[in-house]
Amino acid sequence: MDVKIFPTMEEAATYTVKYFQEALHKGADVFGLATGSTPIPFYRQVTQSDMDFSDKIAINLDEYYGLSNDHPQSYHVYMHQQLFHKKPFKVSYLPNGVALDVEAEIARYNQILQEHPIDVQLLGIGGNGHIGFNEPGAAIDGQTQLVNLAEQTIQANSRFFDRVEDVPTQAFSMGLGSIMQAKKIILLAFGEGKADAIAKTVNGPVTKQVPASILQNHPDVTIVLDEAAAAKL
Ligand code: GLP
């Protein structure tokens, strides 16, 4: 793992923009994208750049189960607001949170991933070490699944909803096995609330209890941190 530590989130985001520019330059076609508050400075800088994704493919990690594509807290709306309205991709895929046939939706997403191997996967990390919505205990070789969110995740994400009861308790998520298939992975983490998870991810044992620790087994992972997130390394 290549760990990069920056004084501020903005500098970390600038590094991440350069990383994506280099990947584009080298011909990357398929970008795995993430949501949450962490990538927002990166997406903002991308929208202000001259990067062009109009012939590229975006595949998002996850979507809340039960939220329609136009729900304000859906990851569909997030991606549109943070990135796609200014930087459209040729095609952008997200799981359909209101799919009636769960198994068919899982099969559809796995098929997309099979047809479009991810060149660069962007990740955030949960305070409990989750990536995508792969919570502690998730199968190391898992593909797309409908997962139950950990209580810690529901509490953490309740800041985006009016009431904690409004936070969906399930989500469609690419599995750890799908994430590990990406050719390159770049994980961002900012703030002291991520310091424990980052220390376990980088220096701890590879364990299902810290899903991000599986990234130690990937040959091309870059971890981009601010000083607070790096404090326990
Ligand atoms: C969310 C997302 C993850 C994200 C993580 C951290 O629940 N499913 O993809 O990395 O939790 O979110 P944040 O960046 O807001 O701390």
Side-chain angles (χ1 to χ4, degrees):
M1 286 176 161
D2 189 8
V3 179
K4 308 273 186 203
I5 303 168
F6 296 90
T8 65
M9 281 193 307
E10 283 305 322
E11 286 160 275
T14 302
Y15 173 84
T16 310
V17 168
K18 288 191 188 128
Y19 177 102
F20 269 65
Q21 280 169 333
E22 190 179 324
L24 273 175
H25 187 65
K26 289 186 175 162
D29 275 322
V30 184
F31 293 84
L33 298 179
T35 53
S37 49
T38 304
I40 288 178
F42 163 68
Y43 289 143
R44 189 185 329 107
Q45 290 189 24
V46 171
T47 61
Q48 293 162 355
S49 76
D50 61 1
M51 293 167 90
D52 178 12
F53 295 96
S54 59
D55 63 348
K56 306 297 178 188
I57 292 173
I59 307 181
N60 262 79
L61 283 166
D62 47 17
E63 178 58 284
Y64 287 117
Y65 184 58
L67 299 194
S68 60
N69 298 356
D70 60 357
H71 188 287
Q73 297 310 331
S74 71
Y75 289 158
H76 279 80
V77 168
Y78 170 104
M79 288 308 299
H80 180 75
Q81 289 176 341
Q82 301 299 336
L83 185 64
F84 296 154
H85 75 295
K86 288 250 182 71
K87 294 287 177 187
F89 283 63
K90 181 174 69 179
V91 197
S92 48
Y93 296 105
L94 285 100
N96 173 11
V98 290
L100 293 177
D101 186 336
V102 166
E103 289 310 316
E105 180 59 10
I106 288 169
R108 179 185 78 90
Y109 221 64
N110 284 334
Q111 182 73 26
I112 290 166
L113 289 164
Q114 204 179 327
E115 284 171 14
H116 306 290
I118 292 175
D119 292 304
V120 178
Q121 177 66 57
L122 177 68
L123 295 175
I125 186 170
N128 62 1
H130 76 228
I131 48 178
F133 269 131
N134 293 283
E135 300 284 19
I140 281 180
D141 57 354
Q143 304 291 299
T144 306
Q145 298 157 61
L146 182 64
V147 300
N148 295 321
L149 303 191
E151 189 54 36
Q152 185 180 340
T153 303
I154 293 171
Q155 293 295 336
N157 291 2
S158 67
R159 68 191 192 277
F160 300 112
F161 292 80
D162 291 338
R163 305 173 311 160
V164 69
E165 298 80 44
D166 296 336
V167 185
T169 57
Q170 292 182 297
F172 286 110
S173 180
M174 273 167 57
L176 294 176
S178 324
I179 292 170
M180 289 292 281
Q181 292 291 312
K183 292 189 192 96
K184 292 169 80 68
I185 296 177
I186 183 163
L187 183 150
L188 313 186
F190 304 133
E192 61 183 357
K194 303 293 172 70
D196 269 328
I198 287 297
K200 288 178 185 161
T201 295
V202 175
N203 294 327
V206 175
T207 164
K208 278 162 71 162
Q209 295 319 312
V210 182
S213 66
I214 180 94
L215 300 175
Q216 290 179 30
N217 292 341
H218 189 284
D220 190 342
V221 174
T222 304
I223 309 255
V224 179
L225 308 171
D226 66 358
E227 279 164 7
K232 295 189 176 171
L233 288 179

